[in-house]
């Protein structure tokens, strides 16, 4: 029946359902389990006999596999031979979920603290050295007091008009892809440009790849890249100083 589903043979599938004493929902569950084994444990299907796990156990096992492939591999032999009970497997899945939740909570706290620490140091640096922003003479640099998720952390009032100074501290060890992060920052810049004449994104120096990828994305996406990027800068903070990202170098001088 799994082969019928795999081939997309709907007529054959309907005939198989009609000839079976099982409900369609049950047959669908069996097909799902067979597809899972074929994808992740094909060696099990190649062996004749020996597989004694019931569907209830396998549904729990699929959840275990989704949470930890390594743990699932360790549990697989006893599970497939019918040694591990549903209750035991369900308990292990529950414990693993609790561990992952604790880890995610701790990671979130660590990430929030890292961002708070960087934001504070960035504020101090920019108030001491506003010239690092590359905006020319700045009349005032104010912390945004507007309670809006769209407002930047700082607003600089300069000759060209108000400039948005946003602070970002991406976790360079996170699993999030570089392209996904760049898309997020590009979207943020686009939103800020709707209200502000210029945008400066402040990042730690170790996050420079994120800044470079964002610049490349904006350059490739914008209808008039030179016009857009002339009003966008990245300030990379390194230690107790900062340096504007060399856009021409990143884009190899290709402002067209």
């Amino acid at each position: 029946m799994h082969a019928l589903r795999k081939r997309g043979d709907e007529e054959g599938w309907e005939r198989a359902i009609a000839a079976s004493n099982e409900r369609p929902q049950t047959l669908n569950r069996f097909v799902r389990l067979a597809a899972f084994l074929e994808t992740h444990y094909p060696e099990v299907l190649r062996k004749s006999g020996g597989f004694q796990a019931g569907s209830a156990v396998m549904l729990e096992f699929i959840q275990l596999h989704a949470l930890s492939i390594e743990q699932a591999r360790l549990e697989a032999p006893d599970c497939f031979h019918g040694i591990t009970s549903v209750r035991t497997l369900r308990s292990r899945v529950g414990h693993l979920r609790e561990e992952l939740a604790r880890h995610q909570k701790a990671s979130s706290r660590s990430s929030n603290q890292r961002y708070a620490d960087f934001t504070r140091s960035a504020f101090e640096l920019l108030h001491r050295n506003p010239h690092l922003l590359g905006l020319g003479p700045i009349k005032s640099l104010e912390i945004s007091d507007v309670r809006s998720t769209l407002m930047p952390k700082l607003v600089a009032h300069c000759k060209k008009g108000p400039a948005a100074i946003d602070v970002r501290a991406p976790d360079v060890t996170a699993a999030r892809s570089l392209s996904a992060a760049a898309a997020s920052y590009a979207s943020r810049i686009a939103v800020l440009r709707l209200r502000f004449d210029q945008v400066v994104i402040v990042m730690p120096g170790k996050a420079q790849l994120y800044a470079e990828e964002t610049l490349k994305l904006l350059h490739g996406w914008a209808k008039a890249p030179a016009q857009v990027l002339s009003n966008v800068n990245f300030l990379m903070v390194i230690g107790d100083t900062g340096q504007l990202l060399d856009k021409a170098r990143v884009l190899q001088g290709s402002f067209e």
Side-chain angles (χ1 to χ4, degrees), residues 215 229-233 245-253 255:
L215 278 176
L229 294 181
S230 65
N231 295 303
V232 175
N233 275 311
L245 194 63
D246 186 343
K247 292 183 289 189
R249 178 192 62 76
V250 173
L251 301 171
Q252 298 180 337
F255 292 97

Side-chain angles (χ1 to χ4, degrees), residues 19 28 54 62 77 112 137 146 158 162 171 173 219 242 252:
N28 274 315
I62 288 176
N112 290 340
V146 178
C158 44
D171 183 359
T173 65
H219 182 265
Q252 298 180 337

Side-chain angles (χ1 to χ4, degrees), residues 117-127 154 167 202 237:
D117 291 343
F118 177 72
T119 298
R120 183 170 55 255
S121 63
F123 281 9
E124 293 172 356
L125 172 66
L126 295 177
H127 277 100
L154 295 170
V167 179
V202 183
V237 175

Side-chain angles (χ1 to χ4, degrees), residues 31 60 168 209 217-218:
V31 169
E60 292 293 333
R168 299 285 152 170
L209 282 177
L217 181 61
L218 287 170

